[in-house]
Amino acid sequence: MNLVTDVAVVGGGPSGLTAAAGLAAAGLRVLVLDREREAGGIPRHSDHTGYGLRDLRTVMTGPAYARLLANRALESGAQVRTSAMVTGWAGERILDVTTPEGRLRVDARAVVLATGARERPRTARMVPGDRPPGVLTTGQLQNVVHLHHGRVGTRAVVVGAELVSWSAVLTLREAGCRTVLMTSEHARAESYAAFSVPGRAVLRVPVATSTRVVRIDGRDAVESVEVEDLRTGERRTVPCDTVVFTGDWVPDHELARAAGLAMDPGSRSPVVDNTLATSRPGVFAVGNLVHPVDTADVAALDGRHVVRHVLAYLSGHSGTTDSDTTGSGTTDSDTTDSDATDSGTGRGPGIELRAEAPFRWVSPGLVRPGAGAPPRRRILLWPDEHRAVARVVVTQDGREIARRTLPWPVSPGRVFRVPSSLLSGADPRGGPITISLA
């Protein structure tokens, strides 16, 4: 069966649903393809509050947030097909899809990839030992507890100390399982103090930094883990019956790679510009597929950002009246770019963005002069180490074009945000732009 549509959105999480709602409201035929039984993405099984702050200016639980975004897409006129797995490409913007009703071929004028990211499981982290049941990722844990109302053990070790790690702790607590230890290989816990301090005090979770799990023991069930102090090399055994591997994100990039899109070696995501366009005309990428990983509401704002650029691509427009390379000289407030001048798709030559250590990747990886600001007027970077003071330096062709001390620290396990206005002094005809720390 063949279907023709204006826009195919692959992935029904916050970024995909938000993009679909905006594009359908503009009068386009929009088809959302999601492999799960219900649309909504990760928030569907993240049954705690904290969702919707940046995009909806409210706070709600994950399931409520997922339902609201799905309903908005449907009410705007988008078609949402669940249990629909996109398996490959049959053309520049033609998708092969497998559904319970049979195979489907979708011919779209534009494609928005919103496939998100996933945590690395134990096997990808190469943790040795036995292979008993009871070893999970956060997503698997939340599926078991919140969607299937299953049971877990009574004593858990959580590997990782990111924001999602505390989400795992809350899920374990709801299931009647106590977290006896949280481990982090870093010298400081990755999550914000606003989460880690109450977590330690209220939830009474001990956090061991500079520590890694080096072995899991147990035949028919988890019995214990062996942890190593990275400073001293000392090892100890922690009795437990559940192990949850959290964070250490990798994008769900298989479809992007199959398309032959330019990929970032640091994030393993498709390279996008400030309009969220990829290297293939008419194919855009949004959300945690391009910055693995950020909060659901930030991903949703990517979906809102991409709407006008998809519309501009489909209408054949390009260019903008923005006067600078990426920032347009406005304030660096935590807002969306809905008030920015329509930028089209920025078909001019792009300038490569590069990140120096301790940053692993930068997004967007390309800025097109005259294409407007990136989502939320932010450049996103992923650090591998902690810096209490963030003195950001931006250079191009050996020339320093900006330097600023930002009021937030650099910390592994969470996105570091740089105002895009720091790039406004770049030469549109110059070489790559490098972002580093002094």
Side-chain angles (χ1 to χ4, degrees):
M1 179 179 177
N2 294 333
L3 282 180
V4 177
T5 188
D6 292 320
V7 184
V9 178
V10 185
S15 61
L17 291 172
T18 302
L23 291 165
L28 297 180
R29 297 169 298 170
V30 179
L31 174 62
V32 179
L33 300 164
D34 192 88
R35 65 189 178 190
E36 301 292 337
R37 294 182 183 178
E38 296 180 22
I42 289 176
R44 289 183 309 119
H45 50 73
S46 186
D47 195 12
H48 57 76
T49 191
Y51 288 87
L53 181 60
R54 294 178 180 87
D55 58 334
L56 304 179
R57 303 300 183 191
T58 188
V59 178
M60 60 183 67
T61 66
Y65 178 71
R67 287 192 299 269
L68 187 150
L69 294 184
N71 288 336
R72 283 190 173 185
L74 292 169
E75 291 166 359
S76 296
Q79 181 185 2
V80 179
R81 293 197 63 155
T82 55
S83 300
M85 171 71 79
V86 179
T87 56
W89 302 81
E92 287 291 292
R93 290 172 296 279
I94 303 175
L95 300 168
D96 283 328
V97 186
T98 300
T99 74
E101 294 77 32
R103 296 185 65 183
L104 188 66
R105 180 157 287 178
V106 176
D107 189 344
R109 297 171 60 206
V111 175
V112 177
L113 299 177
T115 49
R118 61 183 182 270
E119 295 165 298
R120 294 182 193 272
R122 173 215 181 150
T123 50
R125 305 189 201 203
M126 296 185 289
V127 177
D130 299 322
R131 296 290 187 268
V135 181
L136 311 163
T137 63
T138 309
Q140 292 171 326
L141 169 70
Q142 292 176 336
N143 261 283
V144 169
V145 175
H146 297 313
L147 293 187
H148 302 290
H149 309 292
R151 298 178 62 85
V152 293
T154 59
R155 291 173 55 89
V157 169
V158 173
V159 182
E162 301 180 22
L163 178 58
V164 70
S165 310
W166 291 104
S167 178
V169 170
L170 290 174
T171 300
L172 289 164
R173 185 187 190 197
E174 184 172 328
C177 182
R178 182 165 66 94
T179 302
V180 297
L181 183 67
M182 178 181 286
T183 71
S184 171
E185 294 189 13
H186 299 285
R188 297 180 58 163
E190 301 98 285
S191 62
Y192 297 102
F195 295 96
S196 60
V197 172
R200 296 185 194 203
V202 178
L203 300 177
R204 298 181 179 179
V205 175
V207 179
T209 55
S210 298
T211 301
R212 65 175 178 174
V213 173
V214 295
R215 182 177 176 83
I216 297 175
D217 290 313
R219 291 288 183 178
D220 299 323
V222 175
E223 297 175 1
S224 65
V225 298
E226 187 176 356
V227 298
E228 179 184 57
D229 188 316
L230 298 176
R231 294 160 295 197
T232 65
E234 182 182 353
R235 294 189 176 188
R236 62 189 174 105
T237 298
V238 180
C240 62
D241 53 23
T242 303
V243 181
V244 184
F245 285 88
T246 67
D248 196 7
W249 299 91
V250 60
D252 275 320
H253 57 194
E254 287 79 8
L255 197 59
R257 294 180 66 86
L261 303 182
M263 305 294 288
D264 183 285
S267 63
R268 301 185 180 182
S269 301
V271 175
V272 296
D273 63 15
N274 25 332
T275 72
L276 298 178
T278 70
S279 58
R280 177 179 290 187
V283 178
F284 298 78
V286 298
N288 285 327
L289 171 62
V290 292
H291 42 85
V293 67
D294 215 328
T295 59
D297 51 2
V298 170
L301 290 176
D302 268 16
R304 186 180 299 175
H305 178 91
V306 82
V307 169
R308 65 191 178 93
H309 298 296
V310 173
L311 292 172
Y313 169 79
L314 292 177
S315 65
H317 293 168
S318 64
T320 179
T321 59
D322 282 359
S323 59
D324 65 40
T325 302
T326 58
S328 76
T330 58
T331 62
D332 295 323
S333 59
D334 203 35
T335 61
T336 68
D337 63 346
S338 59
D339 59 340
T341 305
D342 187 1
S343 67
T345 55
R347 286 295 107 195
I351 305 173
E352 181 187 357
L353 272 185
R354 295 177 178 175
E356 281 192 354
F359 298 119
R360 186 185 308 177
W361 54 255
V362 59
S363 182
L366 197 69
V367 289
R368 296 190 186 277
R376 300 177 64 236
R377 305 188 183 280
R378 295 291 188 269
I379 303 298
L380 309 180
L381 301 104
W382 191 264
D384 285 323
E385 63 184 59
H386 181 85
R387 297 283 184 89
V389 179
R391 297 185 178 92
V392 177
V393 179
V394 183
T395 58
Q396 183 185 35
D397 298 329
R399 176 177 65 95
E400 184 177 304
I401 60 176
R403 177 185 290 258
R404 185 183 299 180
T405 299
L406 298 178
W408 46 85
V410 178
S411 183
R414 61 178 188 252
V415 169
F416 180 71
R417 310 178 200 282
V418 173
S420 62
S421 59
L422 292 186
L423 277 58
S424 60
D427 180 355
R429 293 167 296 279
I433 300 169
T434 300
I435 302 177
S436 60
L437 294 178

